[in-house]
Amino acid sequence: MIEVVAELSRGPVFLAGEALECVVTVTNPLPPTATSASSEALAWASAQIHCQFHASESRVALPPPDSSQPDVQPESQTVFLPHRGERGQCILSTPPKILFCDLRLDPGESKSYSYSEVLPIEGPPSFRGQSVKYVYKLTIGCQRVNSPITLLRVPLRVLVLTGFQDTRFPQDEAVAPSSPFLEEDEGGKKDSWLAELAGERLMAATSCRSLHLYNISDGRGKIGTFGIFKSVYRLGEDVVGTLNLGEGTVACLQFSVSLQTEERVQPEYQRRRGAGGAPSVSHVTHARHQESCLHTTRTSFSLPIPLSSTPGFCTAIVSLKWRLHFEFVTSREPGLVLLPPMEQPEPVTWTGPEQVPVDTFSWDLPIKVLPTSPTLASYAAPGPSTSTITI
């Protein structure tokens, strides 16, 4: 019996373009004093990162798979296929790397191997939607002699910051930001430079504040003014807005605002509704604020963006966008007053109206949500960074 443990040194969240580092430890768990203790051997072990794509058949109409180049060894148990047994299609993978060959461990002996690979920047982000799913995994394959391959899968979360596809890393060390107190190899310098550049771009894109005002009105008049200080956010930030109802000519009885994502299948992949297909657009609410606001002059709200959610992105099959979805309930009666008279010659009992004729309408305001620091996302939404398998 051999125990294989894979541990991600920094957590399970990474930015596309970063270097993933994993320590693979192989142990013979039997104590040397055991009567049945003997040496254990593994023929080889290899590691590879891959992204699995799965689409809902009721929402997405994918073209038939290309059968001109079939997999000649789909059922072979002696060939390293990291995506064997996974749902969907493998749309992205890194070259496999051999960790070791002909390893023999005495009872109680343990050996560790380091695996490092740069996550491709051209892939989609990790996403689990209603129409499609993009799932990243690090798969480690091990094999004994004359035995089938055993696969150990480590789940990953990949964040994609658009704009890095055309980035060229500097060749001059003086150009790249670095610390003179740290000694780094070339790979470490490149990875550090990428992380610093991503942090600078995110900070620059989300730190600009400028008040944006929107007049809200229906067919009968103005309801109020909505104000928001920025339209670009990072995961983990709060969307703060203000609503001024004092200038309105139409009484607003209640309003609600929801922080939503809109997942939309691209037109060429939409399944026709008449053919039994589900809607090509789906919405998910991440936070919501509701308030009764009659006789309210000014109010505000704050909606947190979950760190576990996916920033906006677009692929050939699906797009994900963020928005604020407002719903207003307004009175049909002009000059509606639902407060008791302030001055009465004698005590009276006042009862508000049992029914008020109302209208409802909605309004959507698009916003942009970008990734955040992978380290912050790992701490706030921890996932499994260690996986174990026994062979």
Side-chain angles (χ1 to χ4, degrees), residues 89-163:
Q89 309 171 17
C90 179
I91 61 172
L92 185 68
S93 62
T94 60
K97 291 185 177 181
I98 297 177
L99 300 178
F100 58 81
C101 292
D102 298 329
L103 175 65
R104 181 172 296 275
L105 296 174
D106 294 329
E109 186 179 3
S110 176
K111 289 189 177 181
S112 297
Y113 301 88
S114 178
Y115 170 80
S116 179
E117 183 62 85
V118 176
L119 289 161
I121 60 175
E122 66 272 12
S126 298
F127 177 63
R128 293 181 179 270
Q130 299 186 28
S131 299
V132 302
K133 293 179 175 61
Y134 296 105
V135 181
Y136 282 84
K137 293 181 181 180
L138 165 62
T139 299
I140 300 169
C142 304
Q143 185 181 24
R144 288 176 178 270
V145 178
N146 299 325
S147 298
I149 296 176
T150 302
L151 299 179
L152 171 62
R153 293 190 171 101
V154 183
L156 309 173
R157 182 187 176 194
V158 177
L159 303 175
V160 175
L161 180 59
T162 57

Side-chain angles (χ1 to χ4, degrees), residues 34-51:
T35 57
S36 59
S38 61
S39 298
E40 297 282 356
L42 284 179
W44 58 266
S46 183
Q48 186 177 15
I49 299 172
H50 59 100
C51 176

Side-chain angles (χ1 to χ4, degrees), residues 254-315:
Q254 179 179 286
F255 83 94
S256 66
V257 54
S258 302
L259 178 64
Q260 296 181 340
T261 49
E262 179 184 88
E263 179 186 358
R264 181 182 297 272
V265 180
Q266 303 293 8
E268 57 268 31
Y269 293 101
Q270 293 179 5
R271 189 171 293 278
R272 293 180 298 173
R273 297 294 299 274
S280 58
V281 180
S282 57
H283 300 93
V284 175
T285 299
H286 301 274
R288 189 171 186 268
H289 173 84
Q290 181 173 317
E291 184 177 336
S292 297
C293 55
L294 182 64
H295 304 298
T296 298
T297 302
R298 182 184 295 270
T299 185
S300 62
F301 64 85
S302 177
L303 301 177
I305 303 176
L307 279 166
S308 58
S309 57
T310 303
F313 70 94
C314 182
T315 66

Side-chain angles (χ1 to χ4, degrees), residues 253 331-333 336-338 351-358:
L253 307 181
S331 171
R332 294 180 183 176
E333 298 180 0
L336 177 65
V337 177
L338 295 182
T351 304
E354 295 182 357
Q355 296 182 350
V356 176
V358 298

